[in-house]
Amino acid sequence: MMKRHMAVAALLAFPMVALAETPNVTPGEWEFVSVTSISGDMQIPDQTETERQCITQEELDGADFGFIEEEEGCELQHQDMNADGLSYSMVCRAEGGEANIDGEMRFMGERIEGSVDIFTQSPMGELTMNTVIEGERIGDCE
């Protein structure tokens, strides 16, 4: 359960703090594919998730785009954001364990690429999770 909580916290940890400049992201309908590989004391198969999202120009221009919502028990250690991407690191503590999270995203107009690396230490053992995220603009919002 803790591993699932840490994974959710990591994925929610994208975009944080207002950007000083508009991100290099073209408004429209986007499809994001994330592949998570897990290694450690427990063998867990890779997990792939696909999600669609409409990104509007208003969201890109507003303070709501580019915010990471820190989950309870998480503390942002570092962040660096600009129009071409973001990188961050945070620590989350829950249920007797700790997760160190490092993430980065690259904004390339009609594509977004990124990754999140999570190292978890818990009473159940050590676990390393790597999530690779690819986003592509697939058209106008419906």
Side-chain angles (χ1 to χ4, degrees), residues 4 12 15 34 37 41 44 48 55 61-62 74 84 96 98 124 129 135:
R4 183 77 171 140
L12 291 176
S34 62
S37 302
D41 296 339
I44 301 172
T48 301
I55 299 176
D61 292 339
C74 295
D84 294 323
E98 180 174 293
M124 296 185 315
M129 297 172 41

Side-chain angles (χ1 to χ4, degrees), residues 1-15:
M1 189 65 171
M2 179 185 160
K3 291 169 185 61
R4 183 77 171 140
H5 175 73
M6 294 300 182
V8 170
L11 293 176
L12 291 176
F14 280 130

Side-chain angles (χ1 to χ4, degrees), residues 3-57:
K3 291 169 185 61
R4 183 77 171 140
H5 175 73
M6 294 300 182
V8 170
L11 293 176
L12 291 176
F14 280 130
M16 183 174 227
V17 180
L19 290 171
E21 48 191 308
T22 302
N24 181 16
V25 175
T26 304
E29 184 79 15
W30 283 74
E31 182 172 84
F32 293 93
V33 177
S34 62
V35 179
T36 301
S37 302
I38 302 171
S39 61
D41 296 339
M42 296 174 55
Q43 293 299 319
I44 301 172
D46 289 358
Q47 299 176 3
T48 301
E49 293 186 21
T50 302
E51 175 184 320
R52 285 191 175 193
Q53 177 181 353
C54 176
I55 299 176
T56 66
Q57 186 63 49

